[in-house]
Amino acid sequence: MADYDLTRTIIPYLDRHLVFPLLTHLHEAYELAKGTNMVDYIVSLYEQLNPDSDVPEEFAAKRAKAVAINEQLQQEAQAVLDVIENPDFAQALRQDKIQNLAYLKDNYSLTLEQITALYNFGKFQYTYGNYSGAADYLYHFRVLSTDTDLNMSAHWGKLASDILTGKWDTALEELNTLRETLDARASAAPLVSAVPSHVEPLATLHSRTWFVHWSLFVYFNHPAGRTLLLETFLAPAYLNTIQSAAPWILRYLAVAAVLSRRAQASGATTTAPVSSRVRHAIREVVKVVQLEEYQYSDPVTKFLKELYVEFDFEAAQHQLQLAERVVGNDFFLSEYREDFLDNARYLITEAYCRIHQRIDIADLSARLNLSPEEGEKWIVNLIRDTRMAADAKIDLEKNVIEIHRPALPIYQSVIEKTRGLSIRTQALGAALSRTAQHQQAQPAKEQPAVVEGAR
C-alpha cells in the first residue's frame, strides 16, 4: 500500500529527532543522523551499513568536538544549574517571573545571559541525544525566562524530549500547555503591528500545523489519546488548520472517530463524561471527509463516505478491506488495526440494521468480510454486548436477525419536532426587538432638497 504511505508527507512537519522512529531504512536514518551530535548512534548505523569497513577517522574528531562543546556550555550554565538544584530556590519561586529574576539577581547574582546559557545547554543536550536531561533543563529555563521566543522554542523542545523518552502522561501535559500557549498567542495578536498583516495568521497556521503532526505521537500512545484527539482536531481552529494545510490528517481523525464509536454505543463507563463533540464525531468527520474529498482521500475516509453518504454497503466492504491494510502499515495506527476493524464492522452492522427489519446473518457476515461461522459468532457477541439487544432478536433456525423497533408515540414525535421551537421563537423576537430599537435610536435623516430646475 505504498500509494497511501504518509511517512514522507508527515516528515517535513517533524523535528529531525522525531523522524528517526518513522524511518525503516538504515541508509535514510544514517543520512538524517549525520546532522546531529549523536556520534555513537551515527557510528552504530555506519557499522550496520558497512560491516566490513573501518569506522572513518572523522567520527572521532566529531565526537571530540561534541564533547568539548558540551563541556563549554555546561560551564556557562553551571551557575544556574547550581541554583536550580538548591531546595531553597524551589520554595522561593513565585508566579511572577519578574520577581523571580530580581530574587535570582539579589541572592545569586544571576543575569539574563546566564539563564539563556541554560537554554543553550538544554538545546545541545537534545541534539546530543540526552532527551531526559534536555527536558529537565528546558523546563527550568521556561520557569525562569521572560524571553517569549526562547520560551516557545523550549516548549517545543521539551515536548519532543518527552515524546522521545516515552513519558506519555508528561508529554500530554506539555502538549496541552503548548496548545494553550499557541491559542493565547493567536487570540492576543495585535491588530496593529509592525509586521505585515498577513504574517501573524500565517505564523499561527504554521505553528498549529506542526502541533497537529507532533500530537499524533501522544494521541496514539496515551490511553485516552483518541478521545483527546477528537476534542482537539474537531475544534474549529484546528479543523480549519487541517483543511487548509494538512488534509492528510483526516485519516487519523477518521480512525479516532471509528475507534471511539462502539465504546460509546456499548455504554462503557469512563473516568470522564464524553463531550458532545466526541459523541457526534462520526457525523462531523463524515461532513469534513465529504467536503475535502477533492484534495485528499484514502480507503479509511472512503469507507466512511461509502457507508454514511452513499449507503453503498458493498463499496464500504471493499474499502474496509483496503483500509485494514492501510491502518496496519501506518506508523501511528498499526497497533489499532484489530480495534479499527472491529469498530468498523460495528458501524456497518449499525447502519445496516437501521434500514432493515429482517437481516440474513450469512449476508451480513459477507458484508463484514467474515465467514458465516465467524459472522454469526461476532453478531451474537455484538448484540449481547451493546444496546442493540433491546431491539434485535436472533432466530437461529432461520439464521436471521429480527429488528423490532417500538413505534414512537404521536405526542413524543410532536415533542421532538417542536423541542427547539420556543427557543427559536424567543431568539427571533429578541433579534426583531434589537433591530427596532436600533432603528429608533438613529436620528431621522433629512430629506435632500430638490434643486430647482433639476429633473
Side-chain angles (χ1 to χ4, degrees):
M1 303 297 288
D3 293 342
Y4 300 109
D5 185 9
L6 293 179
T7 302
R8 297 193 179 279
T9 305
I10 291 175
I11 282 177
Y13 300 93
L14 300 178
D15 180 81
R16 180 190 299 266
H17 292 252
L18 292 177
V19 174
F20 289 123
L22 276 68
L23 298 180
T24 56
H25 300 289
L26 287 176
H27 181 72
E28 293 176 342
Y30 172 71
E31 292 298 325
L32 191 67
K34 287 198 299 185
T36 72
N37 291 304
M38 299 186 296
V39 182
D40 293 336
Y41 178 60
I42 300 171
V43 170
S44 68
L45 291 176
Y46 180 87
E47 291 175 341
Q48 293 178 60
L49 288 170
N50 306 279
D52 300 326
S53 303
D54 295 332
V55 177
E57 296 287 339
E58 63 182 274
F59 290 126
K62 187 177 179 69
R63 179 186 288 108
K65 181 179 179 180
V67 170
I69 294 175
N70 183 63
E71 292 177 351
Q72 177 185 351
L73 292 176
Q74 184 174 5
Q75 290 177 0
E76 295 174 356
Q78 191 61 50
V80 184
L81 294 175
D82 293 338
V83 171
I84 63 178
E85 292 173 359
N86 187 343
D88 296 335
F89 167 71
Q91 297 177 358
L93 283 179
R94 298 291 182 268
Q95 292 291 336
D96 189 345
K97 290 187 176 183
I98 302 299
Q99 291 184 0
N100 292 335
L101 290 176
Y103 174 82
L104 291 172
K105 182 178 180 180
D106 296 339
N107 294 272
Y108 299 98
S109 301
L110 289 183
T111 63
L112 290 176
E113 289 74 15
Q114 289 174 307
I115 294 175
T116 303
L118 179 63
Y119 167 83
N120 295 331
F121 183 56
K123 182 179 178 181
F124 188 82
Q125 292 303 301
Y126 180 79
T127 67
Y128 209 55
N130 179 17
Y131 302 124
S132 59
D136 186 47
Y137 300 140
L138 293 175
Y139 167 77
H140 283 95
F141 168 79
R142 214 171 65 221
V143 169
L144 301 175
S145 175
T146 57
D147 189 313
T148 304
D149 292 335
L150 289 184
N151 276 341
M152 181 57 71
S153 177
H155 261 302
W156 290 101
K158 186 177 185 305
L159 175 59
S161 299
D162 291 334
I163 290 172
L164 291 166
T165 53
K167 298 178 180 178
W168 301 118
D169 289 333
T170 306
L172 179 60
E173 293 177 5
E174 190 64 33
L175 189 72
N176 292 334
T177 303
L178 179 58
R179 178 189 172 184
E180 293 171 0
T181 304
L182 293 176
D183 293 346
R185 292 186 67 175
S187 61
L191 296 178
V192 179
S193 175
V195 298
S197 59
H198 66 278
V199 172
E200 197 68 38
L202 283 177
T204 299
L205 178 65
H206 178 78
S207 298
R208 283 177 171 159
T209 304
W210 279 66
F211 174 90
V212 164
H213 287 83
W214 288 36
S215 68
L216 296 177
F217 289 95
V218 182
Y219 288 145
F220 285 102
N221 283 282
H222 192 277
R226 272 63 61 206
T227 300
L228 297 173
L229 181 147
L230 293 174
E231 290 280 9
T232 301
F233 286 8
L234 289 177
Y238 291 89
L239 188 56
N240 289 339
T241 298
I242 292 171
Q243 292 175 281
S244 302
W248 49 87
I249 298 296
L250 288 176
R251 172 187 296 181
Y252 304 100
L253 184 57
V255 169
V258 171
L259 292 175
S260 69
R261 185 64 184 90
R262 184 176 175 182
Q264 299 169 33
S266 62
T269 57
T270 56
T271 56
V274 178
S275 70
S276 173
R277 182 176 290 162
V278 175
R279 283 199 305 271
H280 303 298
I282 286 285
R283 183 176 64 190
E284 297 301 320
V285 171
V286 169
K287 290 180 182 178
V288 180
V289 165
Q290 188 178 7
L291 185 64
E292 301 300 326
E293 184 183 17
Y294 74 97
Q295 63 174 339
Y296 180 79
S297 66
D298 63 24
V300 177
T301 61
K302 289 178 181 177
F303 165 72
L304 292 179
K305 177 177 178 290
E306 296 295 348
L307 185 60
Y308 289 106
V309 179
E310 305 296 340
F311 295 100
D312 188 335
F313 292 97
E314 292 182 358
Q317 172 192 358
H318 174 66
Q319 293 299 334
L320 181 58
Q321 290 177 328
L322 298 177
E324 179 185 4
R325 297 168 60 188
V326 170
V327 170
N329 293 330
D330 191 283
F331 172 81
F332 297 102
L333 305 177
S334 58
E335 181 182 344
Y336 300 96
R337 186 180 69 87
E338 293 298 329
D339 288 340
F340 171 80
L341 194 59
D342 197 47
N343 280 271
R345 286 170 176 161
Y346 168 77
L347 295 178
I348 294 176
T349 306
E350 182 186 49
Y352 200 74
C353 291
R354 189 179 297 147
I355 60 176
H356 294 82
Q357 290 184 326
R358 186 181 178 88
I359 302 167
D360 183 85
I361 293 179
D363 179 61
L364 181 56
S365 299
R367 297 184 185 281
L368 299 175
N369 297 324
L370 295 172
S371 66
E373 295 77 13
E374 292 174 334
E376 180 178 326
K377 182 179 179 181
W378 190 88
I379 293 168
V380 168
N381 291 334
L382 174 69
I383 292 176
R384 182 187 62 200
D385 297 339
T386 65
R387 297 170 184 171
M388 291 177 61
D391 300 329
K393 304 298 179 185
I394 299 177
D395 188 337
L396 293 178
E397 292 183 0
K398 299 179 181 179
N399 201 38
V400 296
I401 303 173
E402 300 281 354
I403 307 295
H404 302 282
R405 296 184 182 87
L408 191 65
I410 297 299
Y411 74 89
Q412 186 66 32
S413 299
V414 174
I415 291 174
E416 291 293 334
K417 291 181 180 298
T418 60
R419 176 174 294 174
L421 185 59
S422 62
I423 298 176
R424 291 196 296 270
T425 303
Q426 291 175 2
L428 181 60
L432 291 173
S433 176
R434 287 195 299 269
T435 302
Q437 292 175 1
H438 179 69
Q439 291 177 347
Q440 292 175 0
Q442 288 182 341
K445 295 183 178 180
E446 296 180 358
Q447 294 291 333
V450 178
V451 179
E452 184 66 26
R455 293 290 185 268

